[in-house]
PDB file of all heavy atoms in Angstrom:
ATOM      1  N   ASP A 226      -5.563  36.058   4.329  1.00 97.00           N
ATOM      2  CA  ASP A 226      -5.941  37.346   4.908  1.00 97.00           C
ATOM      3  C   ASP A 226      -4.732  38.098   5.440  1.00 97.00           C
ATOM      4  O   ASP A 226      -4.631  39.329   5.298  1.00 97.00           O
ATOM      5  CB  ASP A 226      -6.962  37.138   6.028  1.00 97.00           C
ATOM      6  CG  ASP A 226      -8.365  36.879   5.507  1.00 97.00           C
ATOM      7  OD1 ASP A 226      -8.637  37.219   4.340  1.00 97.00           O
ATOM      8  OD2 ASP A 226      -9.184  36.331   6.264  1.00 97.00           O
ATOM      9  N   HIS A 227      -3.808  37.363   6.049  1.00 97.00           N
ATOM     10  CA  HIS A 227      -2.592  38.005   6.566  1.00 97.00           C
ATOM     11  C   HIS A 227      -1.810  38.646   5.422  1.00 97.00           C
ATOM     12  O   HIS A 227      -1.349  39.802   5.540  1.00 97.00           O
ATOM     13  CB  HIS A 227      -1.732  36.971   7.285  1.00 97.00           C
ATOM     14  CG  HIS A 227      -0.420  37.514   7.764  1.00 97.00           C
ATOM     15  ND1 HIS A 227      -0.295  38.310   8.884  1.00 97.00           N
ATOM     16  CD2 HIS A 227       0.844  37.387   7.244  1.00 97.00           C
ATOM     17  CE1 HIS A 227       0.977  38.643   9.051  1.00 97.00           C
ATOM     18  NE2 HIS A 227       1.680  38.103   8.071  1.00 97.00           N
ATOM     19  N   ALA A 228      -1.653  37.917   4.311  1.00 98.00           N
ATOM     20  CA  ALA A 228      -0.900  38.438   3.168  1.00 98.00           C
ATOM     21  C   ALA A 228      -1.597  39.650   2.560  1.00 98.00           C
ATOM     22  O   ALA A 228      -0.947  40.666   2.259  1.00 98.00           O
ATOM     23  CB  ALA A 228      -0.719  37.340   2.118  1.00 98.00           C
ATOM     24  N   VAL A 229      -2.915  39.567   2.380  1.00 98.00           N
ATOM     25  CA  VAL A 229      -3.648  40.697   1.818  1.00 98.00           C
ATOM     26  C   VAL A 229      -3.565  41.897   2.756  1.00 98.00           C
ATOM     27  O   VAL A 229      -3.495  43.049   2.316  1.00 98.00           O
ATOM     28  CB  VAL A 229      -5.116  40.311   1.541  1.00 98.00           C
ATOM     29  CG1 VAL A 229      -5.919  41.531   1.087  1.00 98.00           C
ATOM     30  CG2 VAL A 229      -5.184  39.221   0.464  1.00 98.00           C
ATOM     31  N   GLY A 230      -3.538  41.640   4.065  1.00 97.00           N
ATOM     32  CA  GLY A 230      -3.347  42.717   5.025  1.00 97.00           C
ATOM     33  C   GLY A 230      -2.004  43.408   4.828  1.00 97.00           C
ATOM     34  O   GLY A 230      -1.907  44.648   4.936  1.00 97.00           O
ATOM     35  N   LEU A 231      -0.961  42.648   4.533  1.00 98.00           N
ATOM     36  CA  LEU A 231       0.341  43.233   4.232  1.00 98.00           C
ATOM     37  C   LEU A 231       0.266  44.097   2.980  1.00 98.00           C
ATOM     38  O   LEU A 231       0.832  45.205   2.942  1.00 98.00           O
ATOM     39  CB  LEU A 231       1.393  42.140   4.037  1.00 98.00           C
ATOM     40  CG  LEU A 231       1.840  41.334   5.255  1.00 98.00           C
ATOM     41  CD1 LEU A 231       2.877  40.290   4.844  1.00 98.00           C
ATOM     42  CD2 LEU A 231       2.412  42.237   6.337  1.00 98.00           C
ATOM     43  N   PHE A 232      -0.421  43.592   1.965  1.00 98.00           N
ATOM     44  CA  PHE A 232      -0.541  44.347   0.723  1.00 98.00           C
ATOM     45  C   PHE A 232      -1.304  45.655   0.950  1.00 98.00           C
ATOM     46  O   PHE A 232      -0.932  46.701   0.410  1.00 98.00           O
ATOM     47  CB  PHE A 232      -1.233  43.509  -0.346  1.00 98.00           C
ATOM     48  CG  PHE A 232      -0.535  42.212  -0.666  1.00 98.00           C
ATOM     49  CD1 PHE A 232      -1.243  41.109  -1.130  1.00 98.00           C
ATOM     50  CD2 PHE A 232       0.833  42.088  -0.504  1.00 98.00           C
ATOM     51  CE1 PHE A 232      -0.613  39.925  -1.427  1.00 98.00           C
ATOM     52  CE2 PHE A 232       1.495  40.897  -0.800  1.00 98.00           C
ATOM     53  CZ  PHE A 232       0.759  39.811  -1.259  1.00 98.00           C
ATOM     54  N   LYS A 233      -2.369  45.574   1.732  1.00 98.00           N
ATOM     55  CA  LYS A 233      -3.143  46.772   2.057  1.00 98.00           C
ATOM     56  C   LYS A 233      -2.266  47.800   2.768  1.00 98.00           C
ATOM     57  O   LYS A 233      -2.322  49.003   2.479  1.00 98.00           O
ATOM     58  CB  LYS A 233      -4.332  46.394   2.941  1.00 98.00           C
ATOM     59  CG  LYS A 233      -5.130  47.578   3.495  1.00 98.00           C
ATOM     60  CD  LYS A 233      -6.263  47.081   4.368  1.00 98.00           C
ATOM     61  CE  LYS A 233      -6.996  48.245   5.046  1.00 98.00           C
ATOM     62  NZ  LYS A 233      -6.151  48.896   6.072  1.00 98.00           N
ATOM     63  N   GLU A 234      -1.457  47.326   3.699  1.00 97.00           N
ATOM     64  CA  GLU A 234      -0.578  48.228   4.444  1.00 97.00           C
ATOM     65  C   GLU A 234       0.486  48.840   3.546  1.00 97.00           C
ATOM     66  O   GLU A 234       0.853  50.018   3.704  1.00 97.00           O
ATOM     67  CB  GLU A 234       0.082  47.455   5.588  1.00 97.00           C
ATOM     68  CG  GLU A 234       0.981  48.304   6.480  1.00 97.00           C
ATOM     69  CD  GLU A 234       1.644  47.494   7.579  1.00 97.00           C
ATOM     70  OE1 GLU A 234       1.280  46.306   7.762  1.00 97.00           O
ATOM     71  OE2 GLU A 234       2.533  48.045   8.257  1.00 97.00           O
ATOM     72  N   ALA A 235       0.988  48.056   2.598  1.00 98.00           N
ATOM     73  CA  ALA A 235       2.088  48.517   1.755  1.00 98.00           C
ATOM     74  C   ALA A 235       1.630  49.455   0.644  1.00 98.00           C
ATOM     75  O   ALA A 235       2.390  50.339   0.227  1.00 98.00           O
ATOM     76  CB  ALA A 235       2.809  47.316   1.152  1.00 98.00           C
ATOM     77  N   LEU A 236       0.420  49.280   0.156  1.00 98.00           N
ATOM     78  CA  LEU A 236      -0.032  50.069  -0.984  1.00 98.00           C
ATOM     79  C   LEU A 236      -0.368  51.502  -0.576  1.00 98.00           C
ATOM     80  O   LEU A 236      -0.990  51.747   0.460  1.00 98.00           O
ATOM     81  CB  LEU A 236      -1.263  49.431  -1.619  1.00 98.00           C
ATOM     82  CG  LEU A 236      -1.023  48.240  -2.534  1.00 98.00           C
ATOM     83  CD1 LEU A 236      -2.344  47.568  -2.896  1.00 98.00           C
ATOM     84  CD2 LEU A 236      -0.269  48.659  -3.807  1.00 98.00           C
ATOM     85  N   CYS A 237       0.019  52.431  -1.415  1.00 97.00           N
ATOM     86  CA  CYS A 237      -0.392  53.812  -1.206  1.00 97.00           C
ATOM     87  C   CYS A 237      -1.884  53.930  -1.520  1.00 97.00           C
ATOM     88  O   CYS A 237      -2.456  53.049  -2.177  1.00 97.00           O
ATOM     89  CB  CYS A 237       0.418  54.742  -2.113  1.00 97.00           C
ATOM     90  SG  CYS A 237       0.052  54.545  -3.878  1.00 97.00           S
ATOM     91  N   PRO A 238      -2.558  54.977  -1.048  1.00 96.00           N
ATOM     92  CA  PRO A 238      -3.968  55.168  -1.398  1.00 96.00           C
ATOM     93  C   PRO A 238      -4.139  55.209  -2.919  1.00 96.00           C
ATOM     94  O   PRO A 238      -3.411  55.922  -3.617  1.00 96.00           O
ATOM     95  CB  PRO A 238      -4.305  56.519  -0.769  1.00 96.00           C
ATOM     96  CG  PRO A 238      -3.340  56.651   0.359  1.00 96.00           C
ATOM     97  CD  PRO A 238      -2.074  56.009  -0.117  1.00 96.00           C
ATOM     98  N   GLY A 239      -5.057  54.407  -3.433  1.00 97.00           N
ATOM     99  CA  GLY A 239      -5.245  54.330  -4.871  1.00 97.00           C
ATOM    100  C   GLY A 239      -4.282  53.392  -5.574  1.00 97.00           C
ATOM    101  O   GLY A 239      -4.306  53.286  -6.810  1.00 97.00           O
ATOM    102  N   GLY A 240      -3.423  52.702  -4.807  1.00 98.00           N
ATOM    103  CA  GLY A 240      -2.483  51.759  -5.399  1.00 98.00           C
ATOM    104  C   GLY A 240      -3.177  50.509  -5.909  1.00 98.00           C
ATOM    105  O   GLY A 240      -4.338  50.242  -5.585  1.00 98.00           O
ATOM    106  N   TYR A 241      -2.445  49.713  -6.692  1.00 98.00           N
ATOM    107  CA  TYR A 241      -3.042  48.580  -7.405  1.00 98.00           C
ATOM    108  C   TYR A 241      -2.485  47.244  -6.902  1.00 98.00           C
ATOM    109  O   TYR A 241      -1.302  47.125  -6.572  1.00 98.00           O
ATOM    110  CB  TYR A 241      -2.778  48.703  -8.904  1.00 98.00           C
ATOM    111  CG  TYR A 241      -3.421  49.928  -9.517  1.00 98.00           C
ATOM    112  CD1 TYR A 241      -2.738  51.141  -9.555  1.00 98.00           C
ATOM    113  CD2 TYR A 241      -4.710  49.882 -10.032  1.00 98.00           C
ATOM    114  CE1 TYR A 241      -3.319  52.274 -10.105  1.00 98.00           C
ATOM    115  CE2 TYR A 241      -5.300  51.008 -10.591  1.00 98.00           C
ATOM    116  CZ  TYR A 241      -4.599  52.193 -10.621  1.00 98.00           C
ATOM    117  OH  TYR A 241      -5.184  53.323 -11.158  1.00 98.00           O
ATOM    118  N   LEU A 242      -3.367  46.248  -6.883  1.00 98.00           N
ATOM    119  CA  LEU A 242      -3.006  44.882  -6.494  1.00 98.00           C
ATOM    120  C   LEU A 242      -3.452  43.920  -7.577  1.00 98.00           C
ATOM    121  O   LEU A 242      -4.631  43.904  -7.958  1.00 98.00           O
ATOM    122  CB  LEU A 242      -3.683  44.512  -5.172  1.00 98.00           C
ATOM    123  CG  LEU A 242      -3.548  43.054  -4.707  1.00 98.00           C
ATOM    124  CD1 LEU A 242      -2.080  42.701  -4.448  1.00 98.00           C
ATOM    125  CD2 LEU A 242      -4.392  42.807  -3.452  1.00 98.00           C
ATOM    126  N   GLY A 243      -2.512  43.119  -8.084  1.00 98.00           N
ATOM    127  CA  GLY A 243      -2.821  42.114  -9.095  1.00 98.00           C
ATOM    128  C   GLY A 243      -2.669  40.715  -8.535  1.00 98.00           C
ATOM    129  O   GLY A 243      -1.647  40.400  -7.915  1.00 98.00           O
ATOM    130  N   LEU A 244      -3.694  39.880  -8.751  1.00 97.00           N
ATOM    131  CA  LEU A 244      -3.687  38.494  -8.266  1.00 97.00           C
ATOM    132  C   LEU A 244      -3.742  37.533  -9.444  1.00 97.00           C
ATOM    133  O   LEU A 244      -3.881  37.941 -10.604  1.00 97.00           O
ATOM    134  CB  LEU A 244      -4.879  38.262  -7.339  1.00 97.00           C
ATOM    135  CG  LEU A 244      -4.997  39.151  -6.107  1.00 97.00           C
ATOM    136  CD1 LEU A 244      -6.256  38.802  -5.313  1.00 97.00           C
ATOM    137  CD2 LEU A 244      -3.762  39.014  -5.215  1.00 97.00           C
ATOM    138  N   GLY A 245      -3.645  36.225  -9.143  1.00 95.00           N
ATOM    139  CA  GLY A 245      -3.723  35.204 -10.170  1.00 95.00           C
ATOM    140  C   GLY A 245      -5.148  34.982 -10.639  1.00 95.00           C
ATOM    141  O   GLY A 245      -6.121  35.411 -10.006  1.00 95.00           O
ATOM    142  N   ALA A 246      -5.273  34.279 -11.759  1.00 91.00           N
ATOM    143  CA  ALA A 246      -6.579  34.092 -12.392  1.00 91.00           C
ATOM    144  C   ALA A 246      -7.572  33.358 -11.492  1.00 91.00           C
ATOM    145  O   ALA A 246      -8.783  33.580 -11.583  1.00 91.00           O
ATOM    146  CB  ALA A 246      -6.403  33.338 -13.706  1.00 91.00           C
ATOM    147  N   ARG A 247      -7.080  32.496 -10.603  1.00 91.00           N
ATOM    148  CA  ARG A 247      -7.968  31.726  -9.723  1.00 91.00           C
ATOM    149  C   ARG A 247      -8.049  32.314  -8.318  1.00 91.00           C
ATOM    150  O   ARG A 247      -8.537  31.661  -7.399  1.00 91.00           O
ATOM    151  CB  ARG A 247      -7.499  30.267  -9.651  1.00 91.00           C
ATOM    152  CG  ARG A 247      -7.642  29.506 -10.970  1.00 91.00           C
ATOM    153  CD  ARG A 247      -7.302  28.035 -10.774  1.00 91.00           C
ATOM    154  NE  ARG A 247      -5.880  27.846 -10.495  1.00 91.00           N
ATOM    155  CZ  ARG A 247      -5.362  26.797  -9.876  1.00 91.00           C
ATOM    156  NH1 ARG A 247      -6.166  25.832  -9.424  1.00 91.00           N
ATOM    157  NH2 ARG A 247      -4.058  26.691  -9.672  1.00 91.00           N
ATOM    158  N   GLU A 248      -7.580  33.528  -8.158  1.00 95.00           N
ATOM    159  CA  GLU A 248      -7.571  34.173  -6.850  1.00 95.00           C
ATOM    160  C   GLU A 248      -8.522  35.367  -6.843  1.00 95.00           C
ATOM    161  O   GLU A 248      -8.754  35.989  -7.882  1.00 95.00           O
ATOM    162  CB  GLU A 248      -6.137  34.618  -6.496  1.00 95.00           C
ATOM    163  CG  GLU A 248      -5.176  33.445  -6.395  1.00 95.00           C
ATOM    164  CD  GLU A 248      -3.718  33.853  -6.352  1.00 95.00           C
ATOM    165  OE1 GLU A 248      -3.383  34.912  -6.921  1.00 95.00           O
ATOM    166  OE2 GLU A 248      -2.914  33.114  -5.771  1.00 95.00           O
TER     167      GLU A 248
END
Side-chain angles (χ1 to χ4, degrees):
D226 282 340
H227 176 77
V229 174
L231 290 179
F232 302 152
K233 173 181 174 291
E234 183 182 351
L236 281 170
C237 68
Y241 297 89
L242 173 63
L244 302 179
R247 293 186 291 157
E248 298 167 331

